[in-house]
Amino acid sequence: MKLFLTSSTITPNLIKPFEEFIGRSSQGLKAAFIPDAGLKTDGDKSWIDQEMTELATDLKWQVDKITLANESIESLDKLFAYDVIYVNGGYSGYLAEVMRKSGFAKKIPELLAKGIIYIGSSGGSMVLSKVQDSASFYFGEPEPEALEIGGLGLVDFEFYPMHDSRWTEDLVDKIKEKRNKKLKYYLVRDGQALSLENDKIKIYGEVIVLDKEI
């Protein structure tokens, strides 16, 4: 199982670490781009297509958009033809719900077992936790219902993307106050990432780790 979890896409400084992680050049990778989490957000959604375009132009990937809300577990067999499944940001509670309804949640273990790489961007990283505590109180876009929905449970920690556009000096203190202290947290800023291969975690950048306290 290979997971590469980012706060906001694979930025230029993460290209080399990502290529070292996958053991090859990333140019020419065939990627399925999952936009569902972002489609739930309010206002202009042009940033979704912009992120998809950047993967194609900056990283030289072959990118296809696949909206899970339009798919079934049978139609998702086409994902086996890709090198990468790239899951975009947005509301991760909603994303987890769509992943279950479409059958993606059942399909992803098979895809990972085949060596297909999962890349998360923001909400696409958050959704892999079991509890989705970080999504429930996420500052600026809280999803309290995410606790009832739950995540995919592929990782045993909470991922909190600390986007530069939302960064404040006291953000870390706010997260410490709101978080469930029974859970481990990784606070990841834009340009930082985590990689997971089976049970091995590697950190790229000055990621803040909040261990369990109870």
Side-chain angles (χ1 to χ4, degrees):
M1 177 176 74
K2 286 192 174 184
L3 313 175
F4 197 83
L5 308 183
T6 74
S7 173
S8 63
T9 198
I10 297 182
T11 50
N13 66 300
L14 289 175
I15 295 175
K16 183 177 180 181
F18 175 70
E19 290 182 335
E20 290 175 351
F21 175 60
I22 65 175
R24 55 167 285 190
S25 169
S26 63
Q27 290 195 17
L29 287 179
K30 190 174 181 183
F33 184 93
I34 309 296
D36 293 76
L39 298 176
K40 184 68 172 178
T41 58
D42 297 327
D44 178 35
K45 295 179 177 58
S46 61
W47 59 274
I48 299 173
D49 285 334
Q50 180 181 347
E51 188 166 338
M52 181 176 167
T53 299
E54 287 172 355
L55 296 175
T57 58
D58 297 348
L59 301 184
K60 312 301 182 187
W61 290 6
Q62 303 174 51
V63 186
D64 296 323
K65 183 190 292 184
I66 297 177
T67 304
L68 295 180
N70 299 333
E71 302 292 337
S72 66
I73 193 167
E74 292 80 15
S75 67
L76 287 174
D77 280 342
K78 61 189 168 188
L79 293 176
F80 286 101
Y82 292 90
D83 303 303
V84 166
I85 296 171
Y86 183 101
V87 184
N88 199 29
Y91 286 103
S92 67
Y94 170 76
L95 176 61
E97 193 171 37
V98 173
M99 284 179 164
R100 290 192 175 95
K101 287 182 177 178
S102 65
F104 180 86
K106 292 183 177 180
K107 190 71 67 175
I108 188 63
E110 299 176 47
L111 294 163
L112 294 172
K114 290 290 186 180
I116 296 170
I117 302 157
Y118 181 104
I119 299 175
S121 172
S122 190
S125 298
M126 297 166 76
V127 75
L128 298 188
S129 73
K130 181 178 179 179
V131 179
Q132 291 223 83
D133 185 61
S134 58
S136 73
F137 68 84
Y138 189 79
F139 293 103
E141 294 178 341
E143 275 186 290
E145 66 274 17
L147 289 175
E148 296 182 10
I149 297 169
L152 299 191
L154 292 179
V155 300
D156 62 356
F157 56 82
E158 292 286 316
F159 187 102
Y160 192 107
M162 301 191 296
H163 298 309
D164 291 345
S165 61
R166 297 174 181 269
W167 177 260
T168 61
E169 289 296 329
D170 63 345
L171 178 58
V172 174
D173 290 335
K174 289 181 178 179
I175 295 169
K176 287 180 179 178
E177 182 180 343
K178 291 288 291 185
R179 75 182 183 110
N180 182 339
K181 293 181 174 60
K182 294 180 181 179
L183 304 172
K184 187 172 185 176
Y185 260 77
Y186 287 89
L187 313 186
V188 183
R189 292 191 70 173
D190 295 347
Q192 302 175 344
L194 305 176
S195 68
L196 294 89
E197 185 168 7
N198 300 320
D199 294 327
K200 184 179 180 181
I201 298 176
K202 188 170 182 179
I203 294 175
Y204 306 92
E206 297 180 2
V207 171
I208 297 173
V209 182
L210 304 179
D211 281 315
K212 300 176 185 179
E213 295 182 8
I214 298 176

